Amino acid sequence: MPNERLREALLKQGLNLDHVARAANVDRKTVERWITKNRLPYPKHRHTIAAMVRESENYLWPDALPAERKAEVGVSEVVKVYPHRNAIPVELWDRLISEATKQVEILVHAGLFLVERPTFVKDLAKKAENGAQIRLLFGDPASREVVRRSEEEQLGKATLGGRIRNALAFYRPLRAVPGVELRFHKTTLYNSVFRFDDEMVINTHVYGFQGAHAPALHLRRLSAGDVFETYSESFETVWAESKPADF
């Protein structure tokens, strides 16, 4: 079976077999076998290719590392665990937002705390104008999933939907900005995801608690890691099932 992930990653970056062969110092036919026959490159070659295509090794070659090694790398991906999301220092959010240049991906219900930052929406617009990909996923305020979560968090039926609508009002200026996409989802949200290039904050959700009072993980992407990639793939799944935000 061909390695379609590797093929797609190369195409996305505008790279061909010769580019990879020169970078890895191997024969062109060797690279072709890595793709068409899904042959597994040596670790040094996997590192080189992953860096070239800006993907993790674990994504390109899911079976390359034994489970024990994946577990070890996974521990290293966790920078810090916070007992509550509101315990994350303001300085960390400032750095993550200011340093992101390639992509910002956010999966929330409302994420109202983000727009409490005076320049957040303008920062996203500027990043998009400079070539970053901005993808924002909000809970559909009219969905039964949002109503149910609002009740589970003991907020009352309409409260969370109202918060989402309040948050969306701040994002209106982004609707006309190229490079920014806003969508609604109707998923059961187990975690909120905040990705800034190769770093991510995961706000877990705990039944009966609001997000601000639930634990959060600060993750850093490692080429051979699995944790960051798991949440990234989850975001992609929700994105594929979402619809353009109409507000």
Side-chain angles (χ1 to χ4, degrees):
M1 180 183 294
N3 188 331
E4 297 297 346
R5 289 186 175 185
L6 177 55
R7 191 200 304 275
E8 179 66 21
L10 292 172
L11 289 173
K12 191 183 296 185
Q13 297 298 328
L15 301 171
N16 57 35
L17 300 183
D18 292 324
H19 290 126
V20 180
R22 285 195 296 270
N25 195 26
V26 298
D27 185 82
R28 188 179 190 275
K29 288 192 176 296
T30 298
V31 180
E32 187 174 0
R33 286 192 289 271
W34 290 343
I35 298 172
T36 61
K37 297 183 182 301
N38 200 12
R39 297 282 177 82
L40 184 64
Y42 289 124
K44 65 178 181 179
H45 296 145
R46 296 201 301 267
H47 299 335
T48 299
I49 297 169
M52 289 178 70
V53 300
R54 299 178 182 177
E55 294 286 0
S56 72
E57 288 181 61
N58 192 59
Y59 171 76
L60 297 172
W61 302 281
D63 301 323
L65 291 180
E68 297 80 4
R69 177 60 180 149
K70 283 185 179 181
E72 292 174 359
V73 177
V75 171
S76 298
E77 287 184 276
V78 181
V79 179
K80 190 165 184 177
V81 177
Y82 294 92
H84 314 288
R85 191 198 68 212
N86 60 10
I88 298 175
V90 173
E91 293 77 17
L92 176 59
W93 289 112
D94 286 342
R95 183 183 65 77
L96 293 175
I97 295 168
S98 65
E99 292 183 0
T101 59
K102 301 188 292 292
Q103 62 192 119
V104 175
E105 296 174 344
I106 294 174
L107 167 60
V108 292
H109 275 129
L112 196 56
F113 75 98
L114 288 172
V115 291
E116 291 173 354
R117 310 174 64 82
T119 65
F120 181 67
V121 171
K122 291 181 180 179
D123 289 341
L124 293 183
K126 186 178 297 184
K127 290 179 186 300
E129 290 165 2
N130 290 331
Q133 180 188 50
I134 312 295
R135 297 195 293 173
L136 309 175
L137 277 165
F138 302 95
D140 185 337
S143 69
R144 59 186 178 184
E145 289 80 7
V146 165
V147 172
R148 181 174 181 179
R149 178 55 63 88
S150 191
E151 291 178 320
E152 289 174 349
E153 293 185 359
Q154 303 176 28
L155 298 173
K157 269 190 174 183
T159 302
L160 183 54
R163 286 183 179 177
I164 294 171
R165 292 184 179 91
N166 289 342
L168 292 173
F170 290 90
Y171 290 97
R172 288 186 185 279
L174 295 178
R175 292 187 300 177
V177 177
V180 177
E181 293 184 80
L182 302 97
R183 293 190 181 186
F184 283 155
H185 69 84
K186 295 182 180 181
T187 61
T188 300
L189 195 60
Y190 299 108
N191 303 279
S192 292
V193 177
F194 307 89
R195 178 178 181 173
F196 303 93
D197 289 348
D198 291 334
E199 293 185 70
M200 188 183 284
V201 171
I202 301 299
N203 185 188
T204 65
H205 290 292
V206 180
Y207 189 90
F209 288 82
Q210 296 181 39
H213 305 297
L217 311 176
H218 176 199
L219 306 178
R220 187 184 297 273
R221 187 186 196 190
L222 297 179
S223 182
D226 200 26
V227 179
F228 190 102
E229 198 61 46
T230 295
Y231 287 109
S232 181
E233 290 190 28
S234 176
F235 179 94
E236 293 295 341
T237 299
V238 179
W239 185 262
E241 297 175 353
S242 62
K243 65 178 183 179
D246 182 17
F247 65 96

